[in-house]
Amino acid sequence: MKIISIEEITEDMVIAQDIYSSSSQRLVAKGTVVSDSLKKSLLRYNITRVPVEEARKKRVFSKEEVEKAEEAIKEEVLRRFRGFPSDSMNILLFNEILRIEAREKLDSE
Amino acid sequence: MNKINTLKIKDLPVFPDILLNLNRVLHSKSVTIDTVNTIIERDPALTAKILKLANSSYYGLSYMVGTLKKAITVLGFNTIRNLAVTVSVSGIFTANTSRSVDVQKLWHHSIGCAIASKSLLTGKNPLIQEKAFMGGILHDIGKIIILLNFPEDTKKIIEKIRGNKLLTESEAERELLGFDHADLGSFIAEKWHFPKELACSISLHHNPEQFPSFTGKLENREEAELLVYTIYTGNQIAKAMALGTSSDPLVSNINPTAWQKLGITEKDLPSVILKIKENFKEVIDSWNM
């Protein structure tokens, strides 16, 4: 972990510790990927220094890694959908959810 | 609906007078910032919670709002009403515990449905986006009231749907009680003075195709139909993405008519889904509900 100035954070970084406001309200959870709205929100609370994970920048995964992660969660997503959907929009929805959750799984490993 | 009246539901959650007043004044076209401010400020705890939610990254304000009046000015009457209702409904959900239903996860499912529903209408009139958010928050309120009044029946309903994957929760409720949570939620929404189209969308959140035969009085049928398809789709997406957990968590194939009514194409869907995922995470992390 390293602590950097809010001006230096970029959208490929991951927050390393929960961040709280001066009134003890949790603003950001550990593990959150930095986004533009998150940066704005921290600035509103006058948070000027931010803990970020050094090694866990947004990573690039190989096709094989992504396919393996998708295979690992496919059964769970199929269960939610009561099986593979039957029309193009529902198939697209299924595939997008699979892709997002596989990415989330890889990011958390 | 008659069956709901004759059953004489004893335990209706208390809906604060402040919110009933708020719903009444928001029906009026001459509502002012001062009127809304005066009503809400009578409850300092509610005011503080609204400010906390308004300052979360979900609303993306470029500066921090320190007073309720400022929050109303920046976010508008309907968003503030939504936040006030969200705080109160959160209390209704989380004050109840049950062995058969995980109430906290069901509440998160309602938040997920609200976020998904609002996101589905991105680019449309902000007023209808806020109604969609409210519809998501309230769509399963009937489940909590059934749980409060009929805990033993709730247990049987959950056992029935777990034992038969083809049976929906609504079907099991109808078998045991003669009405379902959608009927009851719609009844409550009217009782709490929410707009009629919101009550309609709660009533039809599993069966939007039945909208043409909905006989209730609606000011704008076109807008009401859009809201019905929005809450229906938002609910299905929240289940598909496992945003919280519904007590009936399985997804049905989303009716193709819904995408047409919403104007969402194959090209739009990936970015809509990603936005829902990000917004849900932001809200759950920062609202602490």
Side-chain angles (χ1 to χ4, degrees):
Chain A
M1 182 189 84
K2 61 178 176 178
I3 294 176
I4 59 170
S5 152
I6 186 97
E7 281 83 29
E8 291 174 65
I9 64 170
T10 56
E11 292 195 17
D12 58 356
M13 291 179 176
V14 177
I15 300 296
Q17 280 179 348
D18 289 351
I19 301 176
Y20 292 86
S21 69
S22 54
S23 57
S24 304
Q25 174 191 342
R26 189 171 72 167
L27 303 174
V28 189
K30 177 184 173 183
T32 302
V33 179
V34 173
S35 65
D36 188 45
S37 65
L38 179 87
K39 196 171 170 180
K40 277 189 203 158
S41 175
L42 291 173
L43 279 167
R44 272 184 288 123
Y45 280 91
N46 294 323
I47 306 282
T48 52
R49 296 180 65 72
V50 183
V52 293
E53 292 193 8
E54 270 175 288
R56 283 186 54 200
K57 282 193 166 190
K58 198 171 173 181
R59 289 147 62 197
V60 178
F61 299 101
S62 68
K63 197 176 164 220
E64 288 72 26
E65 283 177 303
V66 173
E67 281 173 356
K68 202 176 157 197
E70 286 184 354
E71 207 47 49
I73 57 167
K74 196 170 183 175
E75 196 139 325
E76 158 58 18
V77 184
L78 275 172
R79 193 191 55 75
R80 273 182 236 153
F81 274 75
R82 302 176 204 244
F84 198 68
S86 57
D87 67 273
S88 62
M89 279 298 266
N90 280 293
I91 292 171
L92 180 61
L93 177 67
F94 177 91
N95 286 333
E96 281 305 309
I97 292 172
L98 194 62
R99 196 181 60 77
I100 290 172
E101 292 187 14
R103 170 85 215 191
E104 206 171 39
K105 184 176 185 307
L106 288 167
D107 277 336
S108 68
E109 282 170 356
Chain B
M1 207 67 79
N2 286 337
K3 285 192 175 163
I4 295 173
N5 282 321
T6 53
L7 267 170
K8 291 195 171 54
I9 304 257
K10 287 171 292 182
D11 288 325
L12 273 186
V14 177
F15 198 59
D17 284 345
I18 285 181
L19 296 179
L20 290 174
N21 274 340
L22 206 54
N23 277 350
R24 282 197 197 101
V25 300
L26 288 177
H27 279 306
S28 151
K29 284 187 176 137
S30 55
V31 58
T32 66
I33 291 173
D34 281 333
T35 315
V36 172
N37 190 50
T38 309
I39 291 173
I40 300 177
E41 268 194 344
R42 282 185 208 134
D43 186 337
L46 178 65
T47 303
K49 283 178 186 163
I50 289 175
L51 284 176
K52 175 182 144 185
L53 270 46
N55 281 307
S56 68
S57 60
Y58 179 54
Y59 289 104
L61 300 179
S62 52
Y63 56 93
M64 194 166 147
V65 289
T67 66
L68 181 64
K69 206 166 182 174
K70 188 75 190 165
I72 300 168
T73 312
V74 177
L75 293 173
F77 297 134
N78 290 289
T79 303
I80 295 299
R81 186 248 307 262
N82 279 0
L83 293 180
V85 173
T86 301
V87 169
S88 296
V89 175
S90 161
I92 293 169
F93 270 81
T94 50
N96 291 287
T97 52
S98 160
R99 283 188 186 163
S100 36
V101 179
D102 187 328
V103 180
Q104 179 77 23
K105 285 184 178 167
L106 181 61
W107 168 235
H108 283 183
H109 163 72
S110 298
I111 294 179
C113 177
I115 288 168
S117 300
K118 186 175 170 180
S119 299
L120 289 167
L121 296 180
T122 301
K124 295 208 165 53
N125 176 348
L127 186 58
I128 193 170
Q129 289 184 37
E130 291 305 327
K131 281 183 185 165
F133 187 92
M134 195 76 289
I137 290 293
L138 293 172
H139 80 288
D140 274 345
I141 190 82
K143 287 187 183 177
I144 288 295
I145 298 159
I146 290 174
L147 181 65
L148 262 173
N149 285 272
F150 312 104
E152 281 309 308
D153 286 320
T154 299
K155 205 172 147 190
K156 286 181 198 159
I157 289 163
I158 299 296
E159 278 167 9
K160 264 175 173 278
I161 59 172
R162 281 185 189 152
N164 179 359
K165 300 281 180 216
L166 296 175
L167 187 72
T168 67
E169 193 168 12
S170 286
E171 286 163 346
E173 287 165 345
R174 284 179 182 280
E175 269 180 32
L176 273 157
L177 305 169
F179 60 87
D180 73 356
H181 65 276
D183 295 332
L184 185 53
S186 170
F187 172 79
I188 298 298
E190 288 221 34
K191 215 173 170 57
W192 287 348
H193 303 286
F194 281 99
K196 292 259 189 299
E197 60 268 32
L198 207 58
C200 169
S201 65
I202 294 169
S203 166
L204 298 176
H205 76 264
H206 295 298
N207 317 94
E209 66 285 349
Q210 288 177 12
F211 178 77
S213 53
F214 184 84
T215 51
K217 199 178 168 192
L218 295 164
E219 271 181 37
N220 181 341
R221 283 192 76 86
E222 199 181 328
E223 185 187 289
E225 188 180 30
L226 177 60
L227 207 54
V228 164
Y229 274 100
T230 305
I231 307 302
Y232 156 76
T233 311
N235 182 35
Q236 295 300 326
I237 288 179
K239 290 181 185 187
M241 299 180 76
L243 310 178
T245 311
S246 169
S247 42
D248 186 5
L250 302 184
V251 185
S252 307
N253 263 349
I254 295 173
N255 184 336
T257 309
W259 304 115
Q260 289 162 18
K261 297 275 180 198
L262 292 164
I264 293 178
T265 63
E266 291 192 9
K267 193 175 153 229
D268 308 321
L269 191 59
S271 59
V272 172
I273 296 302
L274 190 61
K275 185 179 169 198
I276 292 170
K277 183 81 183 176
E278 287 171 356
N279 286 345
F280 181 73
K281 193 175 182 334
E282 274 174 346
V283 164
I284 294 298
D285 283 349
S286 61
W287 287 13
N288 296 329
M289 281 183 164

